[in-house]
Amino acid sequence: SVQAHKEEDNPQNTMEVNGLTPMPDSYDYDLIVIGGGSGGLAAAKEAAKYEKKVMVLDFVTPTPQGSSWGLGGTCVNVGCIPKKLMHQAALLGQALQDSRKFGWQFTEEVKHNWMTMTESVQNYIGSLNWGYRVTLRDTKVTYENAYGEFVGPHTIKATNKKGIEKLYTAERFIIATGERPRYLGIPGDKEYCISSDDLFSLPYCPGKTLVVGASYVALECAGFLAGLGLDVTVMVRSILLRGFDQDMANKIGEYMKEHGVSFIREFVPIKVEQVEEGTPGILKVTAKSTTGDQIIEGEYNTVLLAIGRDPCTRKIGLDKVGVNINEKTGKIPVNNEEQTNVPHIYAVGDILQGKLELTPVAIQAGRLLVRRLYAGATLKCDYVNVPTTVFTPLEYGACGYSEETAVEKFGEENIEVYHSHFWPLEWTVPSRDNNKCYAKIICNIQDNERVIGFHVLGPNAGEVTQGFAAAIKCGLTKEQLDNTIGIHPVCAEV
Amino acid sequence: GKNEYDLLVIGGGSGGLACAKEAAQFGRKVAVLDYVEPSPRGTTWGLGGTCVNVGCIPKKLMHQAALLGSALKDAQHYGWNISQPVHHTWSVMAQGVQNYVKSLNWGHRVQLQDKKVKYFNIKGSFSDPHTVRGLTKAGKETVVTADNIVIATGGRPKYPAHIAGALEHGITSDDLFWLKESPGKTLPSFILYISLECAGFLTGIGLDTTVMMRSIPLRGFDQASHMSKKNQICFTTQQQMASLVTEHMESYGTKFLKRCFPAKVEKLKSNRLQVTWKNADLNTEETDSFDTVMWAVGRVPDTKTLNLEAVGVKTNSETGKIIVDDSEATSVPHIYAVGDITEGRPELTPTAIAAGRLLAQRLFGQSSELMDYDSVPTTVFTPLEYGCVGLSEEAAVQCHGSDNIEVYHAYYKPLEFTVSERDATQCYVKMVCLREREQRILGLHFIGPNAGEVIQGFALGIKCGATYPQLMKTVGIHPTCAEEVTKLRITKRSGLDATVTGC
């Protein structure tokens, strides 16, 4: 009956059959994944390994500025990948300066060309988009560039760019639609401001930029823009990097300040107006103090909003199938098997309530979920002690508890914090800051001085942190740390 | 009579200074003797030992200079407009490096002073088990007596004495880092990692560099054959890893003369050096001229002038190294040894420091903790770096049998190489595990940028008895190179293509 059903391929017939609850073996697919990002693609590819019939629906609603992109989700197109590459461009700018002290000679004046960088980055992303399409094809996963939404318990309506609608049914669904940047809701924000969704493909140099926000997205973008030689200001409502260890967050802010980024603290924009058109043009930003009545104004070529991200869960028909979402945040609560309140509907990635918004977490969750569904596996995604890195000019790697959270959970008298500043050897000859890099570990005195938090501020923080995360997974104690010999001379030996 | 000092340390290097400073913490009366016999070329340096003056520190800084050269090339792909051509000036680099090293010499002297450790710049030799005498540069004789003596005189580069002209015309790593002028077209002749590292950075700063090797790279590391299996440095028998490292160097511009044996070195009228060698494969004699010939054919322990025979300290007859037990004690009571000079230990700064500190704690601090030489991580700072911890694949097979081990591996591409169009063919990671239930990790090997930073944390994990499942449960940090370790799935046994493709 599935065969006959297929040959018809008539949406009308499908509707008729699906008017009632369809029989399991008459579904179009075993699994439909809504969202072709890190979590969605990992799940889809894994399911195909078990010879399941899988479909991936991916669609990018253009930004208010008109930016759009291909298959792969946030990480590949407007997240981790372009971010790290532009961060690398900024680091190379610093390397150029260092290299003179190491004997390299070239012209005094060195300028950066935004278009050269952006083109290279976009070309690489394009190759990844292409690669994903090829992989899906090779693994026989059906891919449609269409906007998916639920219209019935087992039915999805897929609308493509041209507005053509098709209906598909599946036994199970995985929602992996991710998030998009939030706007301020003030006059001029959607018309004149850009977000990270636009930045990485901006067809002109952003020039003098105001970054609004204090998230890692804000600080990372501000960091590399300044590193490329641009005049950058960050407007912060209250604290930096909410949710991260504040001691470390402040050190990151200090470093950025000392390296050319201006900060306007305790202000929020209330309107954005265009003074001059252009690429870039000139924008006037009016901002109000959060602690009083003071109003300030400033002019910038570009205003980049990085105040947070909202899940894409409100317009995908979840109400029609009864999937609960947190009304305030839009996030989907799931059990520890990534299952929503509707048994045959699952969710992975940034849209999950109470989980980390990271690519590797989404990938891990997606893969393990599919293995449980189709390969009889029982392993659940381990969300404990997930390491992360913020790629600010001075990079920050962390795993486990922040100092505040550790104190809150265990009590100040029960934790011991070991810390040290260090001077990377590579910074000595070019006389770079000798007291900025920093590392600290937080130990639980009552549990054999087990390491429950690891924080490092310095070059290659991600590379350094990864191995420590593995060690923390193995129950690392301070004694074992002390007994491990350092590799000399590297930053990680601190 | 009573001895003047509680502790006398002979040798002011990594191990010696660490031991002395630790002992001083316990309120003991400590003295340090340090003396640098000038190299045959006349090079000498200050307090701090090999690592600070002619080892790790200047090596890593010059390696960094070379890496920055690559960064300059990359930068253009990332949008930076730099005028061509770009030049490197040796003397600017050398001065920067030498100034930093001198600041460290100074720092060590200040530290000893602050901790009230007496420092003598004399070359000591034993008169009896508690007495050491030596001459200052001015010729004045000084006698020092101590309850306990620690020998930490380290090693110096070997010269191939049987090769005519080797001593007169060649230099070693002792001289390379202190050259005021560029070495020009250089021929480092080697067996050890030292040569690969030096050849690597010399190429990186634009010098025409050729490496002459007798056999297979990173093999025949003399000390390895005298080390117990337990202490084997992971990279000594790493055929695969060594090949990848040298392959990269070749594509990077370093020339290799494989299976060649130098016969003689002669000075030409132009002041250049003419080197003649035998090519074993072609059975021919070949010759070429170079500006500099650097020997890196091994290091020998600095024990000859200590007069160890007078006090009966036993050494290994082949290597000349001092034989010690698990507590760093020699065959003579109250005489100990730490660092490169000891038989069967890795020749690394961090192990010398740790051993020196623990020794002081046992002697003066009521500790009984012995040094653990197991699973010591290390890194070779070649242009494409190689970091490792634990057993090599060969050692694991030897210990457990190939049926009982599983090797996971992957060829990956660092994200930063994409835009700069760099070749990542040799970027590789491999993990050697036991096959049985727990799948404990025996060894981890990584070739790529920042290998040292990557390996350090995993070394901790291995110290904790990390298993393959635990590593797989560790979420990766994205995008980094280190995350590739947590993504290892393909085994060598499967024969499948181990190239990482996309996220």
Side-chain angles (χ1 to χ4, degrees):
Chain A
S1 62
V2 173
Q3 200 67 12
H5 193 69
K6 281 253 105 1
E7 278 153 14
E8 305 259 348
D9 207 25
N10 184 337
Q12 202 52 41
N13 270 0
T14 316
M15 261 313 278
E16 278 170 19
V17 175
N18 289 342
L20 316 160
T21 317
M23 301 308 289
D25 57 0
S26 67
Y27 293 129
D28 297 324
Y29 292 92
D30 295 308
L31 177 69
I32 290 181
V33 177
I34 313 171
S38 303
L41 290 181
K45 289 189 280 187
E46 189 73 17
K49 271 199 213 156
Y50 305 112
E51 312 208 327
K52 294 299 165 182
K53 205 152 184 288
V54 190
M55 161 177 265
V56 169
L57 295 175
D58 187 69
F59 191 83
V60 179
T61 307
T63 71
Q65 295 297 323
S67 309
S68 183
W69 50 86
L71 179 62
T74 296
C75 171
V76 163
N77 294 287
V78 287
C80 332
I81 302 294
K83 173 265 298 286
K84 187 100 193 294
L85 289 171
M86 293 199 176
H87 170 65
Q88 175 71 353
L91 289 179
L92 287 171
Q94 176 71 71
L96 291 182
Q97 297 313 317
D98 286 353
S99 71
R100 290 187 215 270
K101 290 277 170 60
F102 279 92
W104 292 98
Q105 289 173 315
F106 43 92
T107 46
E108 266 314 299
E109 241 221 289
V110 174
K111 281 195 120 65
H112 184 261
N113 184 315
W114 175 270
M115 291 313 303
T116 306
M117 174 184 74
T118 311
E119 255 174 55
S120 299
V121 170
Q122 288 300 319
N123 281 344
Y124 176 63
I125 293 174
S127 74
L128 291 179
N129 300 140
W130 177 249
Y132 283 124
R133 295 190 64 160
V134 168
T135 306
L136 290 185
R137 197 187 56 208
D138 288 349
T139 52
K140 302 200 190 348
V141 171
T142 311
Y143 159 61
E144 280 226 9
N145 184 215
Y147 186 94
E149 49 190 314
F150 285 95
V151 291
H154 287 267
T155 314
I156 289 271
K157 176 174 78 173
T159 311
N160 71 7
K161 275 198 195 75
K162 300 189 180 125
I164 299 177
E165 294 174 359
K166 287 201 200 146
L167 293 173
Y168 299 103
T169 60
E171 188 187 354
R172 293 187 174 105
F173 298 87
I174 297 179
I175 308 167
T177 49
E179 302 182 302
R180 296 296 291 270
R182 193 179 300 152
Y183 280 78
L184 283 166
I186 59 169
D189 67 352
K190 292 213 169 98
E191 297 92 303
Y192 307 120
C193 301
I194 64 167
S195 73
S196 55
D197 278 359
D198 308 293
L199 181 65
F200 302 111
S201 55
L202 208 61
Y204 52 85
C205 181
K208 180 176 173 190
T209 305
L210 175 71
V211 177
V212 181
S215 57
Y216 73 82
V217 175
L219 296 186
E220 285 176 341
C221 290
F224 72 69
L225 289 173
L228 299 178
L230 303 180
D231 178 342
V232 179
T233 305
V234 180
M235 186 176 286
V236 176
R237 194 188 58 188
S238 62
I239 61 171
L240 297 178
L241 294 175
R242 185 178 297 278
F244 285 85
D245 185 298
Q246 283 301 293
D247 172 29
M248 305 305 280
N250 290 330
K251 285 180 158 60
I252 291 172
E254 280 306 309
Y255 184 89
M256 287 176 69
K257 230 180 7 182
E258 281 168 29
H259 289 264
V261 177
S262 308
F263 282 82
I264 299 177
R265 306 290 298 247
E266 298 182 330
F267 272 86
V268 287
I270 54 175
K271 85 178 154 185
V272 179
E273 297 162 287
Q274 186 174 64
V275 169
E276 213 178 276
E277 258 189 77
T279 54
I282 302 182
L283 302 171
K284 184 167 94 169
V285 178
T286 310
K288 185 174 184 303
S289 164
T290 59
T291 56
D293 289 324
Q294 199 193 352
I295 302 271
I296 55 170
E297 285 178 354
E299 282 190 0
Y300 306 90
N301 295 123
T302 299
V303 177
L304 171 68
L305 300 181
I307 55 169
R309 293 171 67 77
D310 290 320
C312 300
T313 49
R314 305 210 190 251
K315 294 194 194 144
I316 54 173
L318 293 183
D319 48 323
K320 296 210 178 66
V321 287
V323 171
N324 289 339
I325 65 170
N326 179 315
E327 274 311 318
K328 184 163 164 257
T329 62
K331 294 224 171 184
I332 302 181
V334 292
N335 62 17
N336 65 357
E337 296 187 340
E338 285 82 28
Q339 194 180 35
T340 69
N341 60 308
V342 177
H344 68 280
I345 300 179
Y346 301 81
V348 293
D350 289 1
I351 55 172
L352 297 189
Q353 176 163 283
K355 304 281 194 274
L356 294 158
E357 292 178 10
L358 297 167
T359 281
V361 170
I363 292 177
Q364 183 99 303
R367 282 207 190 117
L368 293 179
L369 166 62
V370 165
R371 278 184 215 157
R372 290 193 305 271
L373 292 178
Y374 302 122
T378 51
L379 197 62
K380 298 188 194 141
C381 188
D382 187 346
Y383 292 101
V384 173
N385 290 329
V386 172
T388 179
T389 297
V390 181
F391 294 97
T392 29
L394 192 59
E395 297 178 8
Y396 167 39
C399 183
Y401 288 92
S402 66
E403 200 172 327
E404 304 89 286
T405 324
V407 167
E408 209 181 280
K409 174 140 192 203
F410 298 96
E412 196 173 338
E413 64 284 4
N414 294 320
I415 64 161
E416 194 76 76
V417 180
Y418 296 91
H419 68 150
S420 172
H421 280 97
F422 62 97
W423 197 20
L425 179 63
E426 293 78 1
W427 289 21
T428 57
V429 168
S431 305
R432 283 170 63 183
D433 313 83
N434 66 351
N435 63 344
K436 289 290 184 285
C437 295
Y438 180 75
K440 83 177 169 189
I441 57 161
I442 303 166
C443 302
N444 182 350
I445 298 176
Q446 295 178 316
D447 180 19
N448 217 6
E449 272 211 302
R450 198 160 311 276
V451 177
I452 56 172
F454 169 87
H455 304 263
V456 67
L457 200 59
N460 302 303
E463 308 294 0
V464 173
T465 303
Q466 182 71 86
F468 284 89
I472 288 177
K473 213 29 127 205
C474 300
L476 179 71
T477 62
K478 177 70 168 52
E479 192 183 341
Q480 284 169 319
L481 193 120
D482 288 343
N483 287 339
T484 302
I485 299 294
I487 296 173
H488 183 70
V490 299
C491 295
E493 67 178 313
V494 71
Chain B
K2 197 169 182 289
N3 290 314
E4 222 184 320
Y5 292 94
D6 296 310
L7 175 70
L8 169 64
V9 177
I10 312 176
S14 304
L17 291 179
C19 187
K21 290 190 269 188
E22 189 73 14
Q25 303 264 73
F26 294 107
R28 296 301 178 149
K29 212 160 173 252
V30 186
V32 170
L33 305 185
D34 188 65
Y35 186 86
V36 179
E37 187 72 50
S39 74
R41 299 296 293 253
T43 312
T44 183
W45 50 87
L47 179 62
T50 297
C51 171
V52 163
N53 295 285
V54 287
C56 330
I57 302 296
K59 174 266 297 283
K60 186 94 190 297
L61 288 170
M62 293 197 176
H63 169 61
Q64 175 69 356
L67 289 181
L68 287 171
S70 295
L72 285 174
K73 294 200 191 97
D74 287 353
Q76 314 208 54
H77 291 274
Y78 280 87
W80 292 98
N81 296 327
I82 306 165
S83 68
Q84 292 299 320
V86 168
H87 299 286
H88 184 264
T89 306
W90 174 275
S91 53
V92 173
M93 173 184 75
Q95 195 161 76
V97 172
Q98 288 155 21
N99 283 343
Y100 178 63
V101 169
K102 288 187 184 140
S103 76
L104 292 179
N105 299 140
W106 178 248
H108 280 303
R109 293 193 65 164
V110 168
Q111 270 186 6
L112 289 185
Q113 211 165 35
D114 286 349
K115 293 191 189 320
K116 302 202 190 349
V117 172
K118 185 90 174 101
Y119 162 59
F120 295 94
N121 183 216
I122 65 171
K123 192 180 179 72
S125 66
F126 281 93
S127 331
D128 71 48
H130 291 277
T131 313
V132 171
R133 58 165 32 101
L135 291 174
T136 65
K137 279 209 188 73
K140 174 160 173 262
E141 192 188 73
T142 308
V143 176
V144 183
T145 59
D147 288 346
N148 299 281
I149 300 180
V150 175
I151 307 169
T153 49
R156 294 296 289 268
K158 223 185 334 190
Y159 271 84
H162 58 284
I163 297 172
L167 192 68
E168 300 92 306
H169 307 304
I171 65 167
T172 67
S173 56
D174 276 0
D175 309 293
L176 181 67
F177 301 113
W178 292 92
L179 292 177
K180 296 268 186 289
E181 293 301 323
S182 170
K185 182 178 172 191
T186 309
L187 174 77
S189 168
F190 87 116
I191 300 176
L192 295 174
Y193 69 86
I194 294 172
S195 189
L196 288 187
E197 286 177 337
C198 292
F201 71 69
L202 291 172
T203 307
I205 59 175
L207 300 178
D208 181 346
T209 310
T210 307
V211 178
M212 187 178 293
M213 49 205 260
R214 284 191 333 205
S215 60
I216 304 148
L218 288 180
R219 194 192 182 194
F221 187 12
D222 297 326
Q223 286 76 0
S225 53
H226 298 284
M227 258 193 248
S228 66
K229 283 206 179 71
K230 188 174 171 229
N231 296 335
Q232 216 169 49
I233 292 187
C234 50
F235 60 80
T236 56
T237 55
Q238 274 296 350
Q239 299 276 45
Q240 183 190 24
M241 308 311 276
S243 302
L244 288 170
V245 164
T246 50
E247 250 172 56
H248 178 266
M249 287 177 69
E250 267 178 302
S251 68
Y252 185 70
T254 307
K255 302 188 198 119
F256 282 85
L257 290 171
K258 296 174 185 162
R259 307 250 303 136
C260 292
F261 300 70
K264 66 179 170 191
V265 180
E266 298 160 296
K267 196 154 199 172
L268 301 170
K269 277 211 190 71
S270 61
N271 261 344
R272 292 192 100 207
L273 301 170
Q274 173 112 314
V275 182
T276 311
W277 66 87
K278 184 159 185 283
N279 184 321
D281 285 338
L282 305 174
N283 209 10
T284 52
E285 204 176 68
E286 288 162 4
T287 182
D288 195 357
S289 62
F290 301 88
D291 296 304
T292 304
V293 174
M294 188 187 110
W295 304 106
V297 296
R299 292 174 67 80
V300 279
D302 203 353
T303 50
K304 280 189 213 75
T305 52
L306 282 173
N307 199 18
L308 294 179
E309 312 77 42
V311 289
V313 170
K314 291 213 177 70
T315 60
N316 178 301
S317 51
E318 259 189 78
T319 63
K321 292 198 171 191
I322 298 179
I323 299 170
V324 291
D325 66 13
D326 285 343
S327 67
E328 268 64 81
T330 67
S331 51
V332 178
H334 306 297
I335 300 183
Y336 304 84
V338 292
D340 288 5
I341 198 140
T342 51
E343 178 67 31
R345 307 283 197 243
E347 288 181 3
L348 297 168
T349 281
T351 51
I353 291 176
R357 283 207 187 118
L358 288 174
L359 174 61
Q361 286 168 13
R362 289 193 304 273
L363 289 176
F364 307 115
Q366 272 103 47
S367 161
S368 54
E369 201 188 328
L370 296 175
M371 175 69 188
D372 183 357
Y373 289 99
D374 220 10
S375 293
V376 172
T378 180
T379 298
V380 182
F381 295 98
T382 30
L384 198 59
E385 300 174 7
Y386 167 37
C388 62
V389 60
L391 297 181
S392 65
E393 194 177 331
E394 293 89 322
V397 167
Q398 209 170 38
C399 270
H400 302 274
S402 58
D403 282 339
N404 295 320
I405 64 156
E406 196 76 85
V407 180
Y408 295 90
H409 68 152
Y411 287 92
Y412 68 95
K413 186 164 191 172
L415 177 62
E416 292 76 3
F417 280 30
T418 56
V419 166
S420 46
E421 293 170 13
R422 285 228 249 157
D423 182 14
T425 316
Q426 289 89 17
C427 291
Y428 180 74
V429 55
K430 110 174 144 182
M431 188 158 65
V432 182
C433 308
L434 280 175
R435 228 174 152 191
E436 40 121 69
R437 295 163 297 119
E438 263 188 5
Q439 297 175 274
R440 193 163 53 88
I441 301 171
L442 300 172
L444 180 65
H445 305 264
F446 178 92
I447 294 184
N450 305 302
E453 309 293 2
V454 172
I455 289 287
Q456 183 71 81
F458 288 104
L460 274 172
I462 287 179
K463 250 294 184 260
C464 301
T467 63
Y468 179 72
Q470 279 174 317
L471 216 69
M472 293 310 113
K473 270 172 73 172
T474 305
V475 180
I477 298 173
H478 186 66
T480 61
C481 295
E483 66 175 313
E484 299 301 335
V485 179
T486 65
K487 289 155 70 177
L488 289 170
R489 298 289 183 281
I490 309 266
T491 62
K492 276 197 177 181
R493 193 185 305 272
S494 70
L496 294 170
D497 178 11
T499 311
V500 171
T501 50
C503 280

